[in-house]
């Protein structure tokens, strides 16, 4: 009798151990589901956390804007309305505004282009990218004379002088347009005059370089400080004692070749494009002086 009970206890113990192993290794509950729910937890806390930007019910079919609609949030673009527009737009930045209507097919098509614009210019410290639902914000629509959709308006830094954009509705065209207005990504608006002075100076380049270097270290922050440091590097390379005045043009051509050949990681392409924009400032400064002569 005692022996029988012993065997029964051993059998039950083995079954229990097998079950425990199944839940641990057989991951259907303890592994896969535990891991999957851990992943979903991360997704909801991370990616889906972006829906907080949409306001209540931002998940399209649950009452918010559809993910592909012009009213859906774009990272790097501000959604403003009649109540907030003039609180944010004060003249401290260049501004590009898209006025759209949620039902507009052209606006839906432009959404992907605006995503591309934001990827290129969303972190430009001198520029604000904005969109406004003109259907819901009649006051702004009337103020800017909006009669069709989408309508794009550029507001100049300082004066807020408005200019309706009439060019192609593509990311490349608008990035070029805004680069001319606000400075392309990689450029520092406040250093433009110093670059012109440096490039065309015959005797004061060392003093100009020192002044710019000190300004970048003490007066600039964020992306302007990062890009400003590259300006300083280019100036040093352009000194007669280094690579000389032809450095900016040669380096511009070299980087453009590397970009056009392909095969670079996306982040490296963005980095090189920012450098290209800065180098163009130096090359164009020399060209301007030559034209004036």
């Amino acid at each position: 009798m005692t022996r029988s009970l012993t065997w029964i206890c051993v059998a039950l113990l083995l079954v229990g151990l097998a079950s425990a192993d199944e839940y641990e290794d057989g991951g259907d509950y303890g592994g896969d589901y535990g891991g999957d729910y851990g992943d979903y937890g991360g997704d909801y806390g991370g990616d889906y956390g972006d829906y907080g930007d949409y306001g209540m019910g931002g998940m399209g079919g649950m009452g918010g804007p559809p993910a592909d609609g012009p009213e859906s949030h774009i990272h790097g673009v501000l959604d403003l309305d009649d109540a907030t527009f003039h609180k944010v737009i004060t003249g401290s930045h260049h501004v590009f505004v898209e006025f759209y209507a949620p039902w507009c097919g052209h606006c839906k098509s432009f959404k992907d282009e605006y995503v591309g614009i934001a990827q290129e210019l969303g972190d430009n410290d001198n520029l604000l990218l904005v969109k406004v639902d003109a259907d819901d914000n009649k006051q702004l629509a009337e103020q800017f004379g909006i009669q069709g959709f989408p309508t794009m308006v550029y507001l100049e830094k300082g004066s807020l002088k408005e200019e309706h954009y009439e060019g192609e509705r593509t990311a490349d065209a608008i990035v070029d347009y805004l680069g001319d207005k606000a400075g392309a990504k990689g450029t520092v608006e406040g250093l433009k005059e110093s670059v012109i002075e440096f490039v065309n100076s015959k005797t004061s380049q060392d003093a100009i370089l020192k002044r710019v270097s000190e300004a970048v270290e003490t007066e600039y922050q964020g992306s302007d400080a990062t890009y400003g440091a590259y300006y300083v590097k280019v100036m040093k390379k352009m000194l007669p004692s280094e690579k000389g005045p032809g450095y900016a043009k040669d380096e511009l051509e070299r980087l453009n070749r590397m970009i056009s050949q392909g095969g670079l990681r996306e982040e490296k392409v963005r980095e090189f494009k920012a450098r290209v924009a800065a180098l163009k400032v130096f090359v164009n400064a020399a060209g301007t002086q030559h034209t004036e002569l």
Side-chain angles (χ1 to χ4, degrees), residues 56-72:
M56 295 298 293
M59 296 177 69
M62 296 180 68
D68 60 347
E71 68 272 41
S72 61

Side-chain angles (χ1 to χ4, degrees), residues 249-264 269 272 276:
K249 182 176 181 293
D250 293 342
E251 182 68 359
L252 174 64
E253 293 174 351
R254 184 182 76 87
L255 292 179
N256 275 330
R257 282 196 305 270
M258 293 180 68
I259 293 170
S260 64
Q261 287 170 358
L264 297 171
V269 172
F272 282 0
V276 163

Side-chain angles (χ1 to χ4, degrees), residues 199 205 237-240 243-249:
V199 168
Q205 284 189 326
K237 294 287 188 180
M238 291 181 69
L239 292 173
K243 294 185 179 294
Y247 169 77
K249 182 176 181 293

Side-chain angles (χ1 to χ4, degrees), residues 10-21:
V10 170
L12 291 172
L13 177 62
L14 291 174
V15 171
L17 289 174
S19 298
D21 289 341

